[in-house]
Amino acid sequence: MRILVVEDEKKIASFIKRGLKEQGYAVDLAYTGDDGLFMALEDEYDLIVLDIMLPGKDGMFVCRQIRKKKKSVPILILTARDAVEDKVNGLDSGADDYLTKPFEFAEFLARVRALTRRSQGNLTTKLKIGDLELDQVTREVKRGGKKIDLTATEYALLEYLMLNAGHVVTRTMISEHVWNDSFDTFTNVINVYINYLRNKVDNGFDKKLIRSVRGRGYMISDEEDEK
Amino acid sequence: MKPYSIRFKATVFYSSILALILLVFGLSVLGYSYYILIKGLDKSLNVKAKEIAAIFNAYGKVVLYDSHPLAVILNVIDEYYFDSSAKAALNKLWTDQFSLLDLDKDYIVIVNSDKKPVLHSKDTPKFFYSENLSKFFFLDKIVHKIFYANKIFVRGINYPFDYNGSKLVVYVYTPMRAVLNVMMRLIVFVFVAIALIVVFTIYVGGIFAGQILRPVERLTDLAETISHKNLSLRIEEEAGDIEMQKLVDAFNDMINRLEKSFSYISDFSSNVAHELKTPLAVIKGELELAVENEEVSDETKNTLFSCLDEIERMERIINDLLLISKMENKPGFFHIEPINAKNFFNEICENANILAVPKKIKVAVNEIADDIIIYADKTHAKRLFLNIVANAIKFTGENGMVDIFFGYNKTGRLYVSVKDTGMGIKKDELDKIFKRFYRSDEARKYGGTGLGLSIALAVANAHGWKIDVNSEFGRGTEFVITL
């Protein structure tokens, strides 16, 4: 998996590169819009991470140019601006997703995973972790073949955890994706819902799938080893 | 001094000036008219006196018996010189002469050189030949004078003439009724005209002044409505007075400059926030990577986690500040739409219940009717109510109680009361809790950015809602949001 990161802020570019490498991605860096555009058009990438505020040609322009050349590579835009119109402009210029700085790295990784998964076309409607199964079409959840009844919120939470199986999901990510809102007090709400989920999913099973990751958030995984 | 409106002052001022000018003018006209009339009267008196003197010289010795008043003048003089035919002829002459002179209404008195009245016409009031009038008897010059007798004004002439070598004076008194009538009419006319003109100018002037000052009124109206939220308002340019246009231009320019400054400030804060976000992103990213690193010791990891917590707190503060700044300065930030109150508040109450679970707090909610529609920006209104509800739960101890009540106040407005059995707010802190970053010493222990209520207030203000707080320290607090 090869990712191009176009980001003029060298320090951000650096930790993105290191973080992605740790996850097993190959990463190329470009610090200006011109370099980024050149590299994006010359080489084949599975994903382009594009900052909007760039010296020379800006991110929007680069994005439009890439789309003009009919490159269907997924593009994730990074920006410090969070106004709705900025987001709309970014997406209108052909980007697939949008992330506001400062972002949580786990969130960033989740988006990268989602975009690369999408581009590879392996969109499965059934998610499976160990003996836990979730059908995105029928919204049915089973563990060990036994059906589990979940409320809409509990289902959305479990689905999000399973989409990011094996990876940490932070509370901020959960509140933004499941509740569509980022709000302080949701931290407590999330804790309560995680407890509901645990009661329904893990209660009575030896293997606990839903784990708390200290200081970070939650993770669903069937691997035994603790990180 | 009591302040008056410019319109009133201007109207009064130039109406008074106009009235004064008209008054002076009117009085001059009256005075001149009077002068002209009196002069005419004097002239006719002169002629009359002169004629009488001439007639007297010509017929002085003639004694007449007749009903004509002038005939009686001479009745003191010897009467036996004439025979009846001569008398008749003379009588006719007299009569003709006197009727030519139009002396019917006049009094005639003749005074000798000793200033003693010797003759007077019939019906002449005694006043005109009494002794007290001797001051007015001059043997050497013609004098005109006004008298007031028998309740009428009379103009008199003192006209000396020679009669057979001795000096006599003839007095002709003529009533001034005609002159005074004319004068009365003139006076009435002039004053009525002045009064009408003044009333008219006050009326028209008032309208005119109002017209001139209308831009000022519009300026005032606009100035009253203008705040940082609607700095795009301008006074419409209108063809009018140069000064007013200048004022309007100056005012519009001022708002322009204000708008620029405001947008500069708002740009500035968003730029600051933007510039802060990049280093935050670097620190956060690096910390997150470092935490993942397996070579890092647990002790160091704890430090890194606490750094991450603080970074996230800082991020929340920056985001909240940006949010408030946008709520207050960015037009069109709120998307107000009709939403079903029941669905909306059910969601809030559901969240309240969930938040209350860990502390075993009981949440009581009364029913809200199905068909109530409220107009609100859903996302931000949710933030407002969740903030109030979450605060109630946050500051209420275990096994406490939070009561959410929907009701209508006296004016028929829907209100939401959120009442807790928490620690309460001290009286002197009640008005400070909505201030940015203000947290009471007690509240500080619970964390948070200190911006929650500021945001709630900004949201309420944008919706035209009101937030009231009642609290008893140690007993509990009630927030009432009136929609």
Side-chain angles (χ1 to χ4, degrees), chain B residues 126-145:
Chain B
K126 189 158 187 325
F127 172 81
F128 292 107
Y129 49 88
S130 63
E131 289 289 327
N132 356 335
L133 227 60
S134 59
K135 295 194 289 283
F136 176 58
F137 299 153
F138 302 100
L139 292 171
D140 50 350
K141 58 182 177 188
I142 299 170
V143 177
H144 297 96
K145 195 170 161 49

PDB file of all heavy atoms in Angstrom, chain B residues 126-145:
ATOM      1  N   LYS B 126     -70.771 120.610  25.875  1.00  0.00           N
ATOM      2  CA  LYS B 126     -70.231 121.740  26.605  1.00  0.00           C
ATOM      3  C   LYS B 126     -68.714 121.665  26.706  1.00  0.00           C
ATOM      4  O   LYS B 126     -68.016 122.660  26.694  1.00  0.00           O
ATOM      5  CB  LYS B 126     -70.847 121.776  28.026  1.00  0.00           C
ATOM      6  CG  LYS B 126     -70.516 123.046  28.793  1.00  0.00           C
ATOM      7  CD  LYS B 126     -71.509 123.318  29.889  1.00  0.00           C
ATOM      8  CE  LYS B 126     -71.292 124.678  30.559  1.00  0.00           C
ATOM      9  NZ  LYS B 126     -69.967 125.134  30.692  1.00  0.00           N
ATOM     10  N   PHE B 127     -68.205 120.417  26.743  1.00  0.00           N
ATOM     11  CA  PHE B 127     -66.767 120.174  26.869  1.00  0.00           C
ATOM     12  C   PHE B 127     -65.965 121.020  25.886  1.00  0.00           C
ATOM     13  O   PHE B 127     -64.908 121.528  26.205  1.00  0.00           O
ATOM     14  CB  PHE B 127     -66.510 118.678  26.632  1.00  0.00           C
ATOM     15  CG  PHE B 127     -65.067 118.304  26.533  1.00  0.00           C
ATOM     16  CD1 PHE B 127     -64.307 118.118  27.695  1.00  0.00           C
ATOM     17  CD2 PHE B 127     -64.442 118.166  25.290  1.00  0.00           C
ATOM     18  CE1 PHE B 127     -62.991 117.792  27.592  1.00  0.00           C
ATOM     19  CE2 PHE B 127     -63.116 117.837  25.205  1.00  0.00           C
ATOM     20  CZ  PHE B 127     -62.388 117.640  26.366  1.00  0.00           C
ATOM     21  N   PHE B 128     -66.498 121.169  24.665  1.00  0.00           N
ATOM     22  CA  PHE B 128     -65.695 121.792  23.613  1.00  0.00           C
ATOM     23  C   PHE B 128     -65.641 123.321  23.712  1.00  0.00           C
ATOM     24  O   PHE B 128     -64.900 123.944  22.990  1.00  0.00           O
ATOM     25  CB  PHE B 128     -66.210 121.355  22.240  1.00  0.00           C
ATOM     26  CG  PHE B 128     -65.960 119.896  21.989  1.00  0.00           C
ATOM     27  CD1 PHE B 128     -66.986 118.980  22.016  1.00  0.00           C
ATOM     28  CD2 PHE B 128     -64.653 119.444  21.775  1.00  0.00           C
ATOM     29  CE1 PHE B 128     -66.745 117.655  21.817  1.00  0.00           C
ATOM     30  CE2 PHE B 128     -64.434 118.113  21.575  1.00  0.00           C
ATOM     31  CZ  PHE B 128     -65.453 117.199  21.598  1.00  0.00           C
ATOM     32  N   TYR B 129     -66.463 123.881  24.549  1.00  0.00           N
ATOM     33  CA  TYR B 129     -66.270 125.331  24.757  1.00  0.00           C
ATOM     34  C   TYR B 129     -66.127 125.665  26.231  1.00  0.00           C
ATOM     35  O   TYR B 129     -66.398 126.741  26.680  1.00  0.00           O
ATOM     36  CB  TYR B 129     -67.388 126.150  24.090  1.00  0.00           C
ATOM     37  CG  TYR B 129     -68.801 125.687  24.394  1.00  0.00           C
ATOM     38  CD1 TYR B 129     -69.470 126.190  25.522  1.00  0.00           C
ATOM     39  CD2 TYR B 129     -69.442 124.786  23.571  1.00  0.00           C
ATOM     40  CE1 TYR B 129     -70.753 125.754  25.786  1.00  0.00           C
ATOM     41  CE2 TYR B 129     -70.720 124.355  23.837  1.00  0.00           C
ATOM     42  CZ  TYR B 129     -71.387 124.841  24.957  1.00  0.00           C
ATOM     43  OH  TYR B 129     -72.639 124.411  25.230  1.00  0.00           O
ATOM     44  N   SER B 130     -65.727 124.647  27.003  1.00  0.00           N
ATOM     45  CA  SER B 130     -65.537 124.890  28.437  1.00  0.00           C
ATOM     46  C   SER B 130     -64.203 125.579  28.687  1.00  0.00           C
ATOM     47  O   SER B 130     -63.328 125.587  27.820  1.00  0.00           O
ATOM     48  CB  SER B 130     -65.602 123.564  29.196  1.00  0.00           C
ATOM     49  OG  SER B 130     -64.543 122.738  28.776  1.00  0.00           O
ATOM     50  N   GLU B 131     -64.068 126.109  29.917  1.00  0.00           N
ATOM     51  CA  GLU B 131     -62.860 126.862  30.286  1.00  0.00           C
ATOM     52  C   GLU B 131     -61.613 125.988  30.277  1.00  0.00           C
ATOM     53  O   GLU B 131     -60.543 126.411  29.913  1.00  0.00           O
ATOM     54  CB  GLU B 131     -63.047 127.463  31.696  1.00  0.00           C
ATOM     55  CG  GLU B 131     -64.045 128.592  31.755  1.00  0.00           C
ATOM     56  CD  GLU B 131     -63.546 129.872  31.086  1.00  0.00           C
ATOM     57  OE1 GLU B 131     -62.319 130.110  31.153  1.00  0.00           O
ATOM     58  OE2 GLU B 131     -64.350 130.594  30.462  1.00  0.00           O
ATOM     59  N   ASN B 132     -61.805 124.677  30.694  1.00  0.00           N
ATOM     60  CA  ASN B 132     -60.603 123.819  30.809  1.00  0.00           C
ATOM     61  C   ASN B 132     -59.909 123.618  29.479  1.00  0.00           C
ATOM     62  O   ASN B 132     -58.800 123.139  29.422  1.00  0.00           O
ATOM     63  CB  ASN B 132     -60.902 122.427  31.380  1.00  0.00           C
ATOM     64  CG  ASN B 132     -62.319 122.233  31.805  1.00  0.00           C
ATOM     65  OD1 ASN B 132     -62.975 123.246  32.116  1.00  0.00           O
ATOM     66  ND2 ASN B 132     -62.799 121.025  31.813  1.00  0.00           N
ATOM     67  N   LEU B 133     -60.610 123.932  28.420  1.00  0.00           N
ATOM     68  CA  LEU B 133     -59.996 123.721  27.113  1.00  0.00           C
ATOM     69  C   LEU B 133     -59.094 124.880  26.705  1.00  0.00           C
ATOM     70  O   LEU B 133     -58.442 124.839  25.671  1.00  0.00           O
ATOM     71  CB  LEU B 133     -61.099 123.531  26.071  1.00  0.00           C
ATOM     72  CG  LEU B 133     -60.895 122.354  25.128  1.00  0.00           C
ATOM     73  CD1 LEU B 133     -60.831 121.061  25.924  1.00  0.00           C
ATOM     74  CD2 LEU B 133     -62.015 122.301  24.109  1.00  0.00           C
ATOM     75  N   SER B 134     -59.056 125.938  27.594  1.00  0.00           N
ATOM     76  CA  SER B 134     -58.328 127.150  27.205  1.00  0.00           C
ATOM     77  C   SER B 134     -56.852 126.890  26.924  1.00  0.00           C
ATOM     78  O   SER B 134     -56.212 127.626  26.190  1.00  0.00           O
ATOM     79  CB  SER B 134     -58.467 128.214  28.303  1.00  0.00           C
ATOM     80  OG  SER B 134     -57.943 127.690  29.507  1.00  0.00           O
ATOM     81  N   LYS B 135     -56.328 125.814  27.503  1.00  0.00           N
ATOM     82  CA  LYS B 135     -54.927 125.439  27.202  1.00  0.00           C
ATOM     83  C   LYS B 135     -54.740 125.244  25.704  1.00  0.00           C
ATOM     84  O   LYS B 135     -53.684 125.412  25.156  1.00  0.00           O
ATOM     85  CB  LYS B 135     -54.573 124.107  27.886  1.00  0.00           C
ATOM     86  CG  LYS B 135     -54.579 124.140  29.382  1.00  0.00           C
ATOM     87  CD  LYS B 135     -53.886 122.899  29.951  1.00  0.00           C
ATOM     88  CE  LYS B 135     -54.714 121.648  29.733  1.00  0.00           C
ATOM     89  NZ  LYS B 135     -55.857 121.457  30.637  1.00  0.00           N
ATOM     90  N   PHE B 136     -55.801 124.794  25.098  1.00  0.00           N
ATOM     91  CA  PHE B 136     -55.724 124.441  23.691  1.00  0.00           C
ATOM     92  C   PHE B 136     -56.025 125.635  22.777  1.00  0.00           C
ATOM     93  O   PHE B 136     -55.961 125.547  21.576  1.00  0.00           O
ATOM     94  CB  PHE B 136     -56.697 123.283  23.440  1.00  0.00           C
ATOM     95  CG  PHE B 136     -56.813 122.873  22.016  1.00  0.00           C
ATOM     96  CD1 PHE B 136     -55.677 122.464  21.291  1.00  0.00           C
ATOM     97  CD2 PHE B 136     -58.026 122.902  21.359  1.00  0.00           C
ATOM     98  CE1 PHE B 136     -55.795 122.099  19.981  1.00  0.00           C
ATOM     99  CE2 PHE B 136     -58.136 122.530  20.044  1.00  0.00           C
ATOM    100  CZ  PHE B 136     -57.024 122.113  19.351  1.00  0.00           C
ATOM    101  N   PHE B 137     -56.334 126.769  23.380  1.00  0.00           N
ATOM    102  CA  PHE B 137     -56.661 127.935  22.549  1.00  0.00           C
ATOM    103  C   PHE B 137     -55.411 128.718  22.228  1.00  0.00           C
ATOM    104  O   PHE B 137     -54.760 129.263  23.103  1.00  0.00           O
ATOM    105  CB  PHE B 137     -57.668 128.837  23.277  1.00  0.00           C
ATOM    106  CG  PHE B 137     -58.994 128.150  23.575  1.00  0.00           C
ATOM    107  CD1 PHE B 137     -59.770 128.539  24.632  1.00  0.00           C
ATOM    108  CD2 PHE B 137     -59.450 127.118  22.733  1.00  0.00           C
ATOM    109  CE1 PHE B 137     -60.986 127.912  24.892  1.00  0.00           C
ATOM    110  CE2 PHE B 137     -60.658 126.509  23.009  1.00  0.00           C
ATOM    111  CZ  PHE B 137     -61.436 126.899  24.095  1.00  0.00           C
ATOM    112  N   PHE B 138     -55.057 128.690  20.941  1.00  0.00           N
ATOM    113  CA  PHE B 138     -53.867 129.434  20.514  1.00  0.00           C
ATOM    114  C   PHE B 138     -54.305 130.483  19.516  1.00  0.00           C
ATOM    115  O   PHE B 138     -55.049 130.169  18.574  1.00  0.00           O
ATOM    116  CB  PHE B 138     -52.840 128.498  19.872  1.00  0.00           C
ATOM    117  CG  PHE B 138     -52.399 127.389  20.776  1.00  0.00           C
ATOM    118  CD1 PHE B 138     -52.938 126.109  20.647  1.00  0.00           C
ATOM    119  CD2 PHE B 138     -51.437 127.627  21.762  1.00  0.00           C
ATOM    120  CE1 PHE B 138     -52.538 125.104  21.477  1.00  0.00           C
ATOM    121  CE2 PHE B 138     -51.042 126.608  22.589  1.00  0.00           C
ATOM    122  CZ  PHE B 138     -51.587 125.344  22.459  1.00  0.00           C
ATOM    123  N   LEU B 139     -53.820 131.735  19.719  1.00  0.00           N
ATOM    124  CA  LEU B 139     -54.237 132.816  18.827  1.00  0.00           C
ATOM    125  C   LEU B 139     -53.299 132.984  17.655  1.00  0.00           C
ATOM    126  O   LEU B 139     -53.579 133.732  16.728  1.00  0.00           O
ATOM    127  CB  LEU B 139     -54.304 134.141  19.629  1.00  0.00           C
ATOM    128  CG  LEU B 139     -55.414 134.187  20.686  1.00  0.00           C
ATOM    129  CD1 LEU B 139     -55.267 135.423  21.557  1.00  0.00           C
ATOM    130  CD2 LEU B 139     -56.780 134.162  20.023  1.00  0.00           C
ATOM    131  N   ASP B 140     -52.159 132.333  17.715  1.00  0.00           N
ATOM    132  CA  ASP B 140     -51.129 132.643  16.717  1.00  0.00           C
ATOM    133  C   ASP B 140     -50.766 131.464  15.815  1.00  0.00           C
ATOM    134  O   ASP B 140     -49.910 131.584  14.960  1.00  0.00           O
ATOM    135  CB  ASP B 140     -49.872 133.145  17.438  1.00  0.00           C
ATOM    136  CG  ASP B 140     -49.463 132.232  18.566  1.00  0.00           C
ATOM    137  OD1 ASP B 140     -50.268 131.315  18.901  1.00  0.00           O
ATOM    138  OD2 ASP B 140     -48.353 132.385  19.096  1.00  0.00           O
ATOM    139  N   LYS B 141     -51.325 130.296  16.022  1.00  0.00           N
ATOM    140  CA  LYS B 141     -50.906 129.192  15.144  1.00  0.00           C
ATOM    141  C   LYS B 141     -52.023 128.159  14.978  1.00  0.00           C
ATOM    142  O   LYS B 141     -52.948 128.089  15.786  1.00  0.00           O
ATOM    143  CB  LYS B 141     -49.652 128.518  15.690  1.00  0.00           C
ATOM    144  CG  LYS B 141     -49.833 127.969  17.094  1.00  0.00           C
ATOM    145  CD  LYS B 141     -48.510 127.362  17.592  1.00  0.00           C
ATOM    146  CE  LYS B 141     -48.690 126.892  19.036  1.00  0.00           C
ATOM    147  NZ  LYS B 141     -47.451 126.480  19.626  1.00  0.00           N
ATOM    148  N   ILE B 142     -51.834 127.410  13.912  1.00  0.00           N
ATOM    149  CA  ILE B 142     -52.801 126.333  13.649  1.00  0.00           C
ATOM    150  C   ILE B 142     -52.333 125.096  14.408  1.00  0.00           C
ATOM    151  O   ILE B 142     -51.172 124.697  14.313  1.00  0.00           O
ATOM    152  CB  ILE B 142     -52.868 126.012  12.146  1.00  0.00           C
ATOM    153  CG1 ILE B 142     -53.321 127.259  11.372  1.00  0.00           C
ATOM    154  CG2 ILE B 142     -53.792 124.840  11.873  1.00  0.00           C
ATOM    155  CD1 ILE B 142     -53.189 127.144   9.883  1.00  0.00           C
ATOM    156  N   VAL B 143     -53.225 124.505  15.208  1.00  0.00           N
ATOM    157  CA  VAL B 143     -52.857 123.333  15.994  1.00  0.00           C
ATOM    158  C   VAL B 143     -53.931 122.268  15.818  1.00  0.00           C
ATOM    159  O   VAL B 143     -55.124 122.573  15.783  1.00  0.00           O
ATOM    160  CB  VAL B 143     -52.719 123.702  17.492  1.00  0.00           C
ATOM    161  CG1 VAL B 143     -52.410 122.457  18.320  1.00  0.00           C
ATOM    162  CG2 VAL B 143     -51.652 124.749  17.697  1.00  0.00           C
ATOM    163  N   HIS B 144     -53.464 121.011  15.679  1.00  0.00           N
ATOM    164  CA  HIS B 144     -54.412 119.888  15.631  1.00  0.00           C
ATOM    165  C   HIS B 144     -54.300 119.081  16.899  1.00  0.00           C
ATOM    166  O   HIS B 144     -53.208 118.908  17.436  1.00  0.00           O
ATOM    167  CB  HIS B 144     -54.108 118.983  14.429  1.00  0.00           C
ATOM    168  CG  HIS B 144     -54.266 119.687  13.118  1.00  0.00           C
ATOM    169  ND1 HIS B 144     -53.205 120.263  12.434  1.00  0.00           N
ATOM    170  CD2 HIS B 144     -55.362 119.933  12.348  1.00  0.00           C
ATOM    171  CE1 HIS B 144     -53.616 120.815  11.332  1.00  0.00           C
ATOM    172  NE2 HIS B 144     -54.945 120.633  11.242  1.00  0.00           N
ATOM    173  N   LYS B 145     -55.409 118.577  17.386  1.00  0.00           N
ATOM    174  CA  LYS B 145     -55.341 117.806  18.617  1.00  0.00           C
ATOM    175  C   LYS B 145     -56.507 116.828  18.682  1.00  0.00           C
ATOM    176  O   LYS B 145     -57.567 117.053  18.084  1.00  0.00           O
ATOM    177  CB  LYS B 145     -55.386 118.764  19.823  1.00  0.00           C
ATOM    178  CG  LYS B 145     -54.954 118.108  21.122  1.00  0.00           C
ATOM    179  CD  LYS B 145     -54.784 119.170  22.210  1.00  0.00           C
ATOM    180  CE  LYS B 145     -54.801 118.646  23.620  1.00  0.00           C
ATOM    181  NZ  LYS B 145     -53.984 117.541  23.929  1.00  0.00           N
TER     182      LYS B 145
END
